[in-house]
Amino acid sequence: MEAEIAAMVVDMYNGTERGACGAVTSGGTESIGMAVKVYRDWGLNVLGITSPTIVLPITAHPAFDKAAAFYGVRLIKVPVGKSGRVDPTVLESYIRQDTVAIVGSSPTFPHGTVDPIAELSEIAYNRGIGMHVDACLGGFIIPFMAEAGFADHVVDFRNRGVTTISADTHKYGYAPKGTSVILYGSKELRAYQFFTTAEWPGGIYCSPGASGSKAGNVIAGAWASLLHHGRSGYVDACRRLITTRKFITDAIEANPSLELLGTPTASVFAFTSSEIDVYVLNDQLKSRGWMLTPLQFPAGLQFSLTMLQTSPGVAEKLVADIKEVTSNLKAETEARRAKGENVRVGAQGATLYGSQQRIPDRTVLNMVMAQYLNGYYGTRHGSDNIKH
């Protein structure tokens, strides 16, 4: 089943003729982690690089940070402009002699923007380094956009410099949580993912990835989901999701108090405001049953559409609620300012999300999050749980 899952996704990403291959992992974090590990080992064996770096946009998923910490790779992060897309020329200027790979997202999680994969691919190819496409979020939407009637985005192995791709089956592949696929441009590259040892007294041992034992039920679920939906099913889902997203983002663009962040392409979008506090907007939308994700740098709100929002009347209700709450908050803000109050919004506001962005030493927040995780695994409740 794993082999057939990988083969189906290879075909989705036009890698069959090129001899591309893949492996099934436990999720997007492991898929990205395996790519980072592979580039580290490939860089050492082929390029002779002992202290590798990977260059990526600042919008890339934090799974890269996690993998870099685990596998001893240094990340070099590149700023992005208002479009949310990294500028290929700017990214290339960050490449060093110890760089083993570059990264592009398809799309980014914060803003739903697809990086310029074709241009990045050529940079990687000409430089003789790897190129990873993180398609964990849009992996089962963007490959079907052309067939669904939207502008095509070639983010696959048709780009000669693309050497690895991560795509989550458990998101828009509608498989059970706990499955993802990491694709490689060749079996030779995939071999760097494998672990083998022949010296253990218990016998010879090999493992294809970070996991040892795997849950067979989620693998079977992923296999069944791909066969059940088929290409036509994913094309239909793509069409419905993007049509709904465009309806919502068109309404946001038409609202003078709101502004889209980045360039939404598939099912994900984000927006901000310089007139109202978007974090207060989020709280009030939550009271109406909507769950949006707060963003930082800049302050904003993100929403990842699912098929639930494509049902009749749902998107219309979201648009109406955003419009009404925004209008109310703008009126309240203007009334307070008319009274002489200094009303700050977003990252300058008094909400928790706004305040934490103004903490200059980000290590403080890392310490707080570590304490939260200690509490997560604690069995005693109360203040004693976070003292150790």
Side-chain angles (χ1 to χ4, degrees):
M1 285 182 173
E2 289 188 61
E4 291 187 2
I5 292 169
M8 284 187 273
V9 181
V10 164
D11 183 68
M12 276 174 47
Y13 280 87
N14 293 289
T16 304
E17 290 186 6
R18 180 167 152 181
C21 57
V24 176
T25 69
S26 62
T29 295
E30 186 184 355
S31 289
I32 288 171
M34 290 296 91
V36 171
K37 187 262 186 194
V38 161
Y39 287 125
R40 181 199 68 180
D41 294 352
W42 172 83
L44 176 62
N45 187 61
V46 176
L47 303 179
I49 295 174
T50 56
S51 299
T53 61
I54 292 178
V55 179
L56 71 173
I58 197 168
T59 48
H61 196 278
F64 288 98
D65 296 84
K66 187 175 184 179
F70 281 6
Y71 295 114
V73 175
R74 181 183 173 190
L75 300 183
I76 299 176
K77 298 192 176 182
V78 183
V80 301
K82 193 172 183 180
S83 69
R85 291 160 51 97
V86 70
D87 185 315
T89 303
V90 174
L91 183 141
E92 185 172 17
S93 70
Y94 281 77
I95 295 175
R96 314 186 326 181
Q97 289 185 337
D98 56 8
T99 298
V100 293
I102 60 175
V103 173
S105 299
S106 176
T108 63
F109 175 85
H111 310 133
T113 301
V114 176
D115 283 322
I117 302 301
E119 293 91 333
L120 295 177
S121 165
E122 284 302 294
I123 291 171
Y125 182 84
N126 292 329
R127 292 273 190 155
I129 59 177
M131 162 72 187
H132 181 78
V133 176
D134 177 21
C136 285
L137 183 55
F140 281 77
I141 297 178
I142 290 177
F144 305 109
M145 287 183 65
E147 291 179 66
F150 304 104
D152 193 12
H153 290 266
V154 179
V155 299
D156 54 33
F157 287 116
R158 286 174 288 178
N159 295 298
R160 61 180 180 171
V162 170
T163 47
T164 54
I165 302 172
S166 52
D168 284 358
T169 45
H170 75 77
K171 290 188 174 77
Y172 293 101
Y174 308 111
K177 206 162 184 65
T179 59
S180 175
V181 176
I182 174 69
L183 305 179
Y184 296 97
S186 68
K187 291 181 179 178
E188 290 76 15
L189 191 60
R190 183 179 63 178
Y192 288 102
Q193 175 180 308
F194 301 154
F195 176 80
T196 63
T197 179
E199 290 77 29
W200 182 43
I204 58 174
Y205 176 89
C206 63
S207 176
S211 301
S213 300
K214 289 187 177 182
N217 59 332
V218 294
I219 293 171
W223 178 84
S225 183
L226 266 63
L227 291 179
H228 171 74
H229 290 93
R231 194 169 194 93
S232 62
Y234 290 125
V235 169
D236 179 64
C238 171
R239 183 181 298 110
R240 292 170 62 186
L241 285 164
I242 295 181
T243 299
T244 303
R245 193 272 304 160
K246 286 174 65 68
F247 171 80
I248 298 171
T249 51
D250 285 349
I252 291 173
E253 282 192 292
N255 191 318
S257 298
L258 303 176
E259 179 184 358
L260 286 176
L261 288 171
T263 312
T265 303
S267 60
V268 180
F269 65 91
F271 62 96
T272 188
S273 175
S274 59
E275 298 183 5
I276 64 169
D277 195 320
V278 289
Y279 299 133
V280 176
L281 170 64
N282 187 42
D283 290 339
Q284 295 195 16
L285 288 174
K286 188 181 298 183
S287 69
R288 298 184 180 212
W290 302 107
M291 299 296 292
L292 280 70
T293 301
L295 303 176
Q296 61 179 356
F297 312 132
L301 300 178
Q302 184 260 30
F303 196 71
S304 298
L305 291 175
T306 69
M307 292 298 286
L308 293 174
Q309 283 82 51
T310 67
S311 299
V314 177
E316 289 80 0
K317 182 67 167 61
L318 175 59
V319 165
D321 284 346
I322 290 175
K323 181 178 181 180
E324 181 180 350
V325 175
T326 297
S327 177
N328 292 342
L329 287 177
K330 183 178 180 181
E332 292 173 13
T333 301
E334 290 177 345
R336 290 174 60 191
R337 284 177 174 158
K339 294 178 182 179
E341 294 185 37
N342 182 20
V343 182
R344 297 181 178 182
V345 300
Q348 300 303 316
T351 64
L352 177 62
Y353 279 103
S355 300
Q356 63 88 11
Q357 291 179 64
R358 300 196 297 275
I359 298 175
D361 185 358
R362 309 305 288 178
T363 59
V364 173
L365 295 176
N366 288 327
M367 292 170 61
V368 171
M369 288 187 283
Q371 288 290 0
Y372 163 78
L373 293 174
N374 275 327
Y376 176 84
Y377 280 105
T379 56
R380 291 184 297 173
H381 302 288
S383 59
D384 287 345
N385 201 35
I386 60 172
K387 289 181 179 178
H388 307 290

